[in-house]
C-alpha cells in the first residue's frame, strides 16, 4: 500500500508540474513569425504553420518508438536511455503542438505502404544522419525484412524488401567538394597574398558522396551549416577555407558566410537539374546547438531537464548577443535567401528544436566533451520525421 501511495503521489506531482509547464509554455506561440504552409512555403493560402507552436507536457507518452535493442543503427552516443541519461525517458513526455493544427506521430505501416517502390535519401552532416536513423528505426519496428546496402555512394542505407522502399544517408559536411590545400613552390594568386595552407572548397562541385543521389532518389532531404562555422576544423588563420569557382580561387578571398551563399546557389541548381520531374527536394533548416558556459571545446554543457522558456531561448540564440549558439539563425538567414526562388520545400525544424536543450546526449554521449549538438534517440528527430511525413502527405 505504501508503494502504491508513493506511486500515486509521484503521478500527481508530475501532473501538477505539467500544468504549471503548460501555463508557462503557452507563451511559446509566436504569431509574428512568418507562416510556412504545407501548401505554400512563403505564407500564402496557409493551412497550417507547423513552426508556430509549443511543447506541451504529455504524461501519457514516454513509450519509445524504438530502442537500442531493437534498432542497432542507433549510434551508441545517441542512445540516451541505454546510456543512463537521467531524463532519457522524460524527454519523450513532451509533444509539439502547432497553434492551428496537430502534428501526430506518423504511422510507419501507412508510410511503408504509401511509399512502395520509392527511394529516399538524406544528404548532409551527422544531424541528417540523426534524422535518417530515427526514420529507419521507426520503420524497422513494423517491417523486419530489411536489407543493408549503400546505393550511389551512400554512407549507409536500408531497403525494406516487402515494400521495395530504400532509405539511405549520404554523408557530406559542406555539400561541396573540399580538401587540403598547400602553397605551390611556383607561386600563385593565393600564395602572393601570403597563404601557405588551408582547405580548398570548390563551391560549384558537389561532394562525390552524393553527386549521383539526385538521379537515384525520389525524395531528398538536404542540410548543411554546422561545418561552415567550425573554427576547430577551418581555423581562419592556420587552416582557412579558400573558395574556388570554375577551378580558380575567388579573389579577394571570401569569408565563410559568402562562400556558403555561393555553394548553396550552385548545389540547389545542381540538385534541381539532376532530379526527375516527379522528385521532391527538401532542405532542412539548421538544427540548434545548446552549449552553455562555452563552446564544445571550452567546457560548454547542456544539462537542463526541461525545455527552455522563450526568454531563455533568446539568451542562447540572439544574434545581438552573439552567443555560442547563434549559428542556427545565421545559417537560416542564408538558407532562406538561397531557397526563395527554388523548387525546394523548406523543412523548418529550427523553431520547434530551439526549446529542447534537455534533449541532447550531454554527458551520456560518451565523449571527452558534452554532446550538445546531436540529439538523443528516441527523441526530437522523431518529431522532425513527423513533420516530414505531414508535408509529404499534403502533396
Amino acid at each position: 500500500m505504501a508503494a502504491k501511495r508513493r506511486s500515486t503521489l509521484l503521478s500527481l506531482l508530475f501532473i501538477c508540474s505539467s500544468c504549471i509547464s503548460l501555463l508557462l509554455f503557452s507563451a511559446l506561440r509566436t504569431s509574428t513569425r512568418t507562416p510556412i504552409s504545407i501548401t505554400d512555403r512563403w505564407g500564402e493560402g496557409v493551412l497550417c504553420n507547423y513552426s508556430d507552436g509549443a511543447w506541451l507536457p504529455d504524461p501519457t507518452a514516454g513509450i519509445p518508438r524504438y530502442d537500442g535493442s531493437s534498432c542497432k543503427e542507433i549510434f551508441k552516443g545517441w542512445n540516451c536511455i541505454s546510456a543512463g541519461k537521467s531524463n532519457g525517458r522524460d524527454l519523450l513526455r513532451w509533444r509539439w503542438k502547432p497553434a492551428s493544427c496537430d502534428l501526430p506521430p506518423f504511422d510507419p505501416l501507412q508510410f511503408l505502404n504509401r511509399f512502395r517502390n520509392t527511394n529516399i535519401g538524406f544528404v548532409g552532416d551527422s544531424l541528417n544522419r540523426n534524422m535518417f536513423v530515427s526514420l529507419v528505426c521507426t520503420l524497422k519496428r513494423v517491417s523486419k525484412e530489411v536489407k543493408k546496402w549503400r546505393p550511389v555512394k551512400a554512407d549507409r542505407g536500408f531497403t525494406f524488401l516487402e515494400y521495395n522502399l530504400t532509405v539511405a544517408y549520404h554523408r557530406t559536411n559542406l555539400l561541396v567538394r573540399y580538401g587540403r590545400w598547400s602553397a605551390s613552390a611556383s607561386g600563385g594568386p593565393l600564395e602572393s597574398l601570403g597563404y601557405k595552407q588551408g582547405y580548398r572548397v570548390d563551391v560549384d562541385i558537389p561532394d562525390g558522396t552524393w553527386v549521383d543521389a539526385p538521379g537515384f532518389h525520389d525524395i531528398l532531404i538536404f542540410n548543411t551549416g554546422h561545418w561552415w562555422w567550425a573554427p576547430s576544423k577551418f581555423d581562419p588563420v592556420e587552416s582557412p577555407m579558400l573558395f574556388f569557382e570554375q577551378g580558380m580561387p575567388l579573389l579577394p578571398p571570401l569569408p565563410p558566410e559568402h562562400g556558403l551563399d555561393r555553394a548553396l546557389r550552385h548545389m540547389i541548381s545542381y540538385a534541381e537539374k539532376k532530379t526527375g520531374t516527379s522528385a521532391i527536394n527538401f532542405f532542412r533548416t539548421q538544427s540548434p546547438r545548446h552549449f552553455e558556459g562555452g563552446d564544445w571545446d571550452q567546457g560548454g554543457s547542456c544539462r537542463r531537464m526541461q525545455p527552455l522558456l522563450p526568454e531563455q531561448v533568446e539568451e542562447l540564440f540572439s544574434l545581438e548577443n552573439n552567443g555560442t549558439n547563434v549559428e542556427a539563425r545565421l545559417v537560416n538567414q542564408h538558407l532562406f535567401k538561397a531557397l526563395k526562388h527554388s523548387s525546394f520545400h523548406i523543412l523548418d525544424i529550427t523553431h520547434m528544436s530551439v526549446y529542447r536543450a534537455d534533449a541532447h546526449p550531454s554527458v551520456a554521449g560518451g565523449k571527452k566533451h558534452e554532446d550538445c549538438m546531436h540529439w538523443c534517440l528516441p527523441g526530437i528527430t522523431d518529431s522532425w520525421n513527423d513533420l516530414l511525413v505531414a508535408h509529404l502527405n499534403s502533396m
Side-chain angles (χ1 to χ4, degrees):
M1 288 295 293
K4 185 175 181 179
R5 287 197 300 270
R6 185 164 55 252
S7 176
T8 301
L9 179 59
L10 288 174
S11 298
L12 288 172
L13 287 173
F14 184 87
I15 291 171
C16 291
S17 174
S18 299
C19 292
I20 294 170
S21 298
L22 179 58
L23 292 172
L24 291 172
F25 273 78
S26 64
L28 295 184
R29 290 184 54 179
T30 52
S31 57
T32 58
R33 289 175 51 80
T34 301
I36 297 177
S37 165
I38 58 175
T39 57
D40 186 319
R41 295 184 303 279
W42 301 106
E44 298 176 5
V46 172
L47 293 181
C48 180
N49 178 6
Y50 289 108
S51 298
D52 178 15
W55 287 101
L56 302 182
D58 186 0
T60 64
I63 300 175
R65 301 186 191 191
Y66 48 83
D67 57 41
S69 61
S70 64
C71 189
K72 301 298 184 182
E73 187 62 18
I74 301 178
F75 179 64
K76 183 178 179 181
W78 302 342
N79 196 336
C80 295
I81 294 176
S82 295
K85 189 171 190 280
S86 60
N87 69 331
R89 291 188 180 275
D90 290 339
L91 63 86
L92 304 178
R93 294 190 173 98
W94 298 85
R95 64 182 179 89
W96 179 252
K97 174 63 174 72
S100 57
C101 64
D102 285 311
L103 184 64
F106 79 92
D107 185 318
L109 194 56
Q110 288 183 5
F111 183 90
L112 287 164
N113 278 302
R114 183 187 172 190
F115 293 102
R116 287 177 181 271
N117 307 312
T118 301
N119 300 323
I120 301 174
F122 291 83
V123 178
D125 57 33
S126 57
L127 274 302
N128 247 16
R129 180 182 171 186
N130 228 173
M131 187 177 178
F132 156 80
V133 171
S134 167
L135 179 59
V136 166
C137 291
T138 303
L139 299 179
K140 275 187 172 184
R141 183 168 56 85
V142 297
S143 180
K144 304 301 182 185
E145 295 183 37
V146 184
K147 175 186 176 182
K148 277 187 178 184
W149 77 306
R150 297 187 291 178
V152 287
K153 301 178 183 177
D155 183 71
R156 57 219 323 115
F158 298 89
T159 295
F160 294 83
L161 298 174
E162 183 180 350
Y163 305 90
N164 191 31
L165 167 66
T166 294
V167 184
Y169 164 63
H170 300 261
R171 179 182 175 119
T172 173
N173 294 330
L174 304 178
L175 292 183
V176 297
R177 187 178 72 182
Y178 74 97
R180 295 290 311 190
W181 176 89
S182 297
S184 170
S186 57
L190 289 173
E191 289 85 346
S192 67
L193 294 175
Y195 288 97
K196 297 180 180 179
Q197 61 183 2
Y199 282 89
R200 171 173 173 160
V201 181
D202 288 277
V203 296
D204 54 345
I205 301 177
D207 194 340
T209 59
W210 72 273
V211 66
D212 297 320
F216 178 82
H217 293 292
D218 305 291
I219 301 170
L220 282 165
I221 304 96
F222 291 86
N223 98 286
T224 193
H226 292 287
W227 287 76
W228 292 87
W229 274 267
S232 60
K233 174 73 173 181
F234 303 114
D235 185 278
V237 176
E238 298 298 326
S239 53
M241 303 173 87
L242 303 171
F243 297 103
F244 283 66
E245 194 173 47
Q246 296 183 345
M248 299 297 295
L250 290 168
L251 298 174
L254 301 178
E257 59 268 25
H258 293 167
L260 173 62
D261 288 336
R262 296 220 181 191
L264 286 172
R265 185 174 74 245
H266 283 295
M267 294 306 101
I268 290 167
S269 175
Y270 176 84
E272 288 180 321
K273 290 176 182 176
K274 295 296 182 179
T275 49
T277 55
S278 61
I280 302 172
N281 289 325
F282 287 93
F283 216 111
R284 177 179 61 72
T285 59
Q286 186 71 349
S287 174
R289 310 182 312 155
H290 288 92
F291 287 98
E292 297 186 65
D295 213 326
W296 68 271
D297 57 348
Q298 300 168 343
S301 64
C302 49
R303 302 190 186 185
R304 294 181 183 264
M305 293 292 105
Q306 289 192 336
L308 299 174
L309 297 173
E311 59 270 22
Q312 294 170 323
V313 168
E314 285 307 303
E315 290 174 9
L316 290 179
F317 293 95
S318 170
L319 294 177
E320 289 75 15
N321 294 340
N322 194 30
T324 302
N325 306 288
V326 296
E327 68 166 33
R329 294 183 179 180
L330 289 173
V331 170
N332 284 348
Q333 286 180 347
H334 295 272
L335 185 58
F336 289 137
K337 177 182 176 182
L339 292 170
K340 190 163 187 177
H341 299 294
S342 77
S343 63
F344 272 68
H345 301 271
I346 296 174
L347 192 66
D348 185 0
I349 58 84
T350 306
H351 185 63
M352 70 159 59
S353 305
V354 291
Y355 299 100
R356 296 311 303 271
D358 59 320
H360 297 284
S362 186
V363 293
K367 298 183 177 182
K368 294 181 179 179
H369 58 83
E370 291 195 33
D371 187 351
C372 304
M373 180 170 72
H374 301 99
W375 302 96
C376 294
L377 292 175
I380 191 175
T381 47
D382 301 334
S383 296
W384 295 3
N385 281 312
D386 294 337
L387 181 61
L388 171 65
V389 174
H391 279 273
L392 290 171
N393 287 342
S394 74
M395 296 177 182

